[in-house]
Amino acid sequence: MIVRVSAPSNIALIKYMGKTDASSNLPANGSLSYTLENLRSVVEVELLPHGTADQWEPLALEGAAPFHMSERGREKFLGHFDRLKKEFSMRGHFLVRSANQFPSDAGIASSASSFAALTMATADMAEKVVSGFKKPSVEKLAELSRRGSGSSCRSFFSPWALWSAEGVRGVEITSLKLQHQLIVVDAGGKAVSSSEAHRRCTTSSLFETRPRRAEERLRELTRALKEQDWATAFEVTWTEFWDMHALFETSRPSFGYMKPGTLRVLEKVREMWSTRRDGPLATLDAGPNVHLLWREDQRALMRELQE
Ligand code: PMV
């Protein structure tokens, strides 16, 4: 008996950085993300009729390089699976297979998509093996997923997700159709994990007032996207990722993710906005790669920047 599910990644324009409760991943401020439908993780869960423990192995995807997960990553992944099994009263042992549909050397954080896919697949399996099981609502599944990886709760909604102290939900923010472009500057692993970043950023003297700044930007960006005020949306998004990276750089001890190539790409984006009075929304995750969001009518500009 086997189930297979895929789930998308997401990129936050207003960032989740800092927690009010680390054990259940409750955020210090609201965040807003755009769902990356083309960047997905796949998870299979298979019942092991004679198994004595849950296991993980990489899932082989046609045309993709073999998928690798660190020992620590596996522990966290199977730990989340175990929590879900208890929540859904699932008995027995299972083989969990997972992989990303995007290249693992693309420098994209996959925890959001992989934890979302694991949560969905486990609920699908529970439907098969637990008698009388009623599948939880999307909101409830997203909340369960949040306990494994905070940002994964936003991957349950598309194209926009709003996650605040009240919970996570899909929001209709704009009728603009957007195109995501990722500029890979460095595809290497992170020296500081996002869990460690959440912990360490609270040591920055900028952190105390950070939730207020983020909440204010959340309101401003929501308004700008609603009114299709693209230039303001760019300014808010730009200021927000610099704010998060300033928290990293001013933590004690300080750390950072930007590389010289990151600044070169950002310089090009700024140049485009200053000469053309138009350009993409730009943002960075806890990494050196630059995420750009373009409107559909900006294809020529997109090609120009790429060149
Ligand atoms: O979900 P986590 O614990 O990997 O945190 C992710 C945090 C950022 O990606 C840096 C920002 C965000 O809101 O996604």
Side-chain angles (χ1 to χ4, degrees), residues 34 160 174 176-180 225 230 281 293-296:
Y34 181 75
W160 295 96
T174 178
L176 286 172
K177 295 259 177 310
L178 304 183
Q179 176 85 30
H180 173 251
L225 286 170
W230 192 248
L281 307 187
L293 288 176
W294 301 88
R295 300 186 314 267
E296 274 200 323

Side-chain angles (χ1 to χ4, degrees), residues 10-12 14-17 19 25 31 76 109 111-112 149-152 154 163 190 194-195 198 244 248 284-286:
N10 69 77
I11 180 71
I14 303 297
K15 310 290 184 183
Y16 152 55
M17 187 43 59
K19 309 180 186 186
N25 293 335
S31 59
K76 211 177 148 192
S111 82
S149 151
S151 56
S152 75
R154 297 187 308 238
W163 174 27
K190 299 185 192 184
S194 62
S195 312
H198 282 287
M244 181 175 78
F248 302 154
L284 259 61
D285 230 323

Side-chain angles (χ1 to χ4, degrees), residues 18 51 53 72 108 111 116 133 136 149 160 173 175 183 188 190 222 231 248 289 303:
R72 166 102 186 77
I108 306 160
S111 82
F133 179 77
S149 151
W160 295 96
I173 260 191
S175 54
I183 313 282
K190 299 185 192 184
T222 306
F248 302 154
N289 304 315
R303 269 195 302 277

Side-chain angles (χ1 to χ4, degrees), residues 232-251:
T232 302
F234 163 71
E235 276 163 21
V236 176
T237 309
W238 179 271
T239 311
E240 169 64 5
F241 85 73
W242 278 105
D243 190 353
M244 181 175 78
H245 282 258
L247 287 179
F248 302 154
E249 301 287 347
T250 55
S251 288

Side-chain angles (χ1 to χ4, degrees), residues 13 217 221 231-244 262-263 265-271 273 280-284 290 292:
L13 299 186
R217 270 183 219 123
L221 181 61
T232 302
F234 163 71
E235 276 163 21
V236 176
T237 309
W238 179 271
T239 311
E240 169 64 5
F241 85 73
W242 278 105
D243 190 353
M244 181 175 78
T262 311
L263 295 179
V265 176
L266 293 175
E267 187 65 41
K268 290 279 167 213
V269 171
R270 180 158 49 195
E271 234 172 74
W273 270 99
L281 307 187
T283 192
L284 259 61
V290 184
L292 302 176

